[in-house]
Amino acid sequence: MLMRSFSLDKSKIKVLLLEGIHENAALYLGENGYTDVECLNGALSGDELEKKLQSTHIIGIRSRTELRKSQLIKTPKLFAIGCFSIGTNQVDIQDAKMLGIPVFNAPFSNTRSVAELVIAEIIMLMRGIPEKNALAHNKIWMKSFNNSVEVRGKNLGIIGYGHIGSQVSILAENLGMNIFYYDIEKKLSLGNSRPVSSLNELLKISDTITIHVPLTDLTRNMISKEQITLMKNGACLINASRGDVIDYKAVADGLRLKQLSGVAADVFPGEPSSNDKPFENDLQEFNNVILTPHIAGSTLEALANIGTEVAEKLVRYSDTGSTIGAVNFVEIALQANASKQRFLHIHKNVPGVLGEINHYFSSRGINISAEYLQTDPDIGYVILETESELDASVLKDLKNIPHTIRVRILY
Ligand code: NAI
């Protein structure tokens, strides 16, 4: 395995941003002293990517550049990866971890965008607009009060009161809705929203249900025939979370039986992998259904937020060693370096490594002013601060400690 160690001036840290990452990222890096930033519009793969990675310290990608183990093991200098996206499937994150490379992403940059679309859908569904819109497109004039109510004073049931669910709560309350939510965790209720003790209770009292949970063993198919039967007659249902959280066949039956008066779905099981692939779903035959291609979070603002959010995390890690927001790494949260020098040591989590590191410093009479350690079953990450001004030979010695993966020094 390649041994990795760094002691670099910021201007010598080479950053490569691919796939037209929003300009906010390069701007933020530049403002923080990272002047060697190359931005390319396309994705890279194969030899081209391998060549570029030879000299790159920090790489930023979106979803089309894949960083697999076979590439990562050939990157002598790479010390951080930024996925300017929500997901990180395009990177072998476990392998990156074992090479001492934290991977950062932007899970909450599009929270507001999702919440806004959900609000629009609540109103559209409760006014019966999708159906009237479809008929109008087919030259049918359906001017009617039927199936059309104000949202003011109606009950909104939110399943999952996390980042998105709680944003929806605030916005919907401002429209005059009564907010109830169900979450497996105890949550702080915002505004006048109220928790309920069971999913069934929420289903029974809500005029519209909106789902904002992650996909887990507990949430897979959490809305199926049994739950739809419990819902108010003519209730609306919105899913902008994950496709497998809902049994869409049961939802189609609920629409046929008029148990549900409208549905909005943004996420589906087995979504097409690209825009040129066909899309099929059980709800396509219904006029009172809004179908969107997983775009609840896709706004220009979300894109810009992602640019800043990931760049901030990369700069924080590079400047301080802080791994806040890394998806594959133990978390150490630190401010800028208060002492003269900060050593970052990433090693395999086997007994004795920390002892050797400490022994190295104490046997040379070097006082350690602060020490932070986090471990997981695979790796240990220790940050040491000293008041001394040690030369770069310390790095060489530290990397010779058995089981060392990576060493960096920050001044
Ligand atoms: P979050 O992690 O902030 O909140 C999720 C909430 O669900 C947490 O409060 C959690 O305690 C709760 N929860 C988990 N299991 C539960 C269960 N069995 N029953 C009830 N509550 C449960 O996540 P965030 O950011 O609010 O995202 C929610 C969902 O939205 C995720 O599935 C995410 O993938 C999806 N999403 C979809 C987007 C789109 O474009 N359609 C964009 C962004 C996120």
Side-chain angles (χ1 to χ4, degrees):
M1 190 201 291
L2 289 168
M3 188 61 69
R4 295 141 186 270
S5 64
F6 297 99
S7 165
L8 277 185
D9 190 281
K10 268 197 212 186
S11 63
K12 297 199 181 104
I13 293 181
K14 189 166 169 37
V15 185
L16 176 65
L17 301 180
L18 300 179
E19 302 183 58
I21 284 167
H22 195 275
E23 61 185 15
N24 279 3
L27 277 172
Y28 187 85
L29 285 155
E31 280 162 10
N32 285 278
Y34 293 81
T35 47
D36 189 355
V37 181
E38 183 181 1
C39 301
L40 299 180
N41 275 330
L44 288 182
S45 61
D47 292 346
E48 227 180 347
L49 178 62
E50 191 176 323
K51 203 165 153 218
K52 277 277 179 206
L53 284 174
Q54 288 305 304
S55 55
T56 299
H57 297 99
I58 298 176
I59 188 169
I61 59 171
R62 291 175 64 194
S63 53
R64 283 182 294 123
T65 302
E66 296 196 357
L67 293 172
R68 299 295 165 211
K69 183 181 181 185
S70 55
Q71 290 279 12
L72 293 171
I73 54 174
K74 292 183 221 149
T75 58
K77 297 182 173 167
L78 194 70
F79 70 80
I81 296 172
C83 291
F84 288 74
S85 55
I86 311 298
T88 53
N89 295 342
Q90 66 276 43
V91 180
D92 285 343
I93 57 172
Q94 178 67 15
D95 297 300
K97 176 174 88 169
M98 295 316 294
L99 292 163
I101 308 172
V103 178
F104 300 91
N105 66 339
F108 305 121
S109 291
N110 57 7
T111 297
R112 175 70 182 205
S113 306
V114 179
E116 284 191 11
L117 184 69
V118 168
I119 293 297
E121 290 177 336
I122 295 169
I123 298 176
M124 289 294 195
L125 293 176
M126 294 183 80
R127 295 289 293 269
I129 300 296
E131 191 165 21
K132 293 182 179 90
N133 173 59
L135 292 172
H137 280 274
N138 281 307
K139 304 183 183 172
I140 297 170
W141 189 250
M142 216 260 274
K143 184 170 161 62
S144 149
F145 290 85
N146 284 345
N147 191 23
S148 178
V149 294
E150 289 185 354
V151 300
R152 180 172 47 171
K154 305 300 181 303
N155 291 353
L156 177 66
I158 301 174
I159 307 176
Y161 202 71
H163 287 82
I164 297 172
S166 55
Q167 271 283 320
V168 170
S169 161
I170 298 276
L171 297 175
E173 185 168 321
N174 278 300
L175 291 171
M177 297 193 82
N178 309 314
I179 315 298
F180 300 89
Y181 68 87
Y182 168 69
D183 199 295
I184 42 165
E185 302 280 341
K186 180 119 185 77
K187 295 281 170 171
L188 174 70
S189 302
L190 301 179
N192 296 315
S193 64
R194 276 162 283 174
V196 296
S197 54
S198 72
L199 176 59
N200 287 357
E201 189 185 341
L202 191 76
L203 295 169
K204 283 180 195 161
I205 60 174
S206 301
D207 296 296
T208 291
I209 288 278
T210 183
I211 309 172
H212 302 291
V213 292
L215 179 64
T216 65
D217 288 345
L218 278 180
T219 63
R220 189 178 297 277
N221 282 333
M222 81 189 297
I223 300 295
S224 195
K225 185 177 174 197
E226 190 189 328
Q227 289 71 33
I228 292 168
T229 313
L230 288 176
M231 288 171 73
K232 276 189 179 181
N233 214 15
C236 299
L237 178 65
I238 298 172
N239 183 20
S241 62
R242 283 290 175 259
D244 290 301
V245 163
I246 280 196
D247 173 357
Y248 280 112
K249 281 203 188 319
V251 172
D253 289 341
L255 285 161
R256 255 176 231 116
L257 296 168
K258 310 260 186 262
Q259 279 173 314
L260 296 170
S261 68
V263 172
D266 185 53
V267 286
F268 307 90
E271 290 173 11
S273 55
S274 66
N275 286 350
D276 53 9
K277 301 262 165 43
F279 162 60
E280 284 184 30
N281 182 269
D282 293 299
L283 305 187
Q284 278 162 329
E285 65 182 89
F286 300 98
N287 278 350
N288 53 347
V289 170
I290 301 172
L291 296 176
T292 47
H294 204 147
I295 44 77
S298 306
T299 61
L300 295 178
E301 287 83 356
L303 205 60
N305 291 343
I306 289 171
T308 314
E309 185 179 334
V310 180
E312 276 171 3
K313 289 175 182 171
L314 290 170
V315 166
R316 197 188 299 127
Y317 175 63
S318 179
D319 284 1
T320 70
S322 182
T323 48
I324 299 173
V327 293
N328 63 339
F329 235 69
V330 287
E331 186 166 295
I332 295 188
L334 286 179
Q335 299 298 318
N337 198 359
S339 303
K340 288 203 170 112
Q341 283 180 325
R342 185 177 278 179
F343 293 91
L344 319 182
H345 191 277
I346 303 165
H347 50 267
K348 287 194 185 141
N349 187 6
V350 293
V353 181
L354 190 63
E356 286 216 37
I357 297 170
N358 285 326
H359 175 72
Y360 175 83
F361 286 100
S362 60
S363 64
R364 285 161 182 76
I366 304 165
N367 189 36
I368 295 172
S369 49
E371 183 168 333
Y372 313 88
L373 170 73
Q374 285 294 338
T375 60
D376 72 10
D378 303 314
I379 61 164
Y381 179 29
V382 62
I383 299 183
L384 292 156
E385 290 181 358
T386 70
E387 295 299 335
S388 323
E389 285 187 74
L390 305 171
D391 64 39
S393 67
V394 178
L395 278 182
K396 207 168 143 237
D397 294 340
L398 286 176
K399 79 178 182 184
N400 282 334
I401 292 176
H403 308 294
T404 296
I405 297 173
R406 176 186 294 274
V407 185
R408 284 177 66 209
I409 182 170
L410 306 176
Y411 295 98

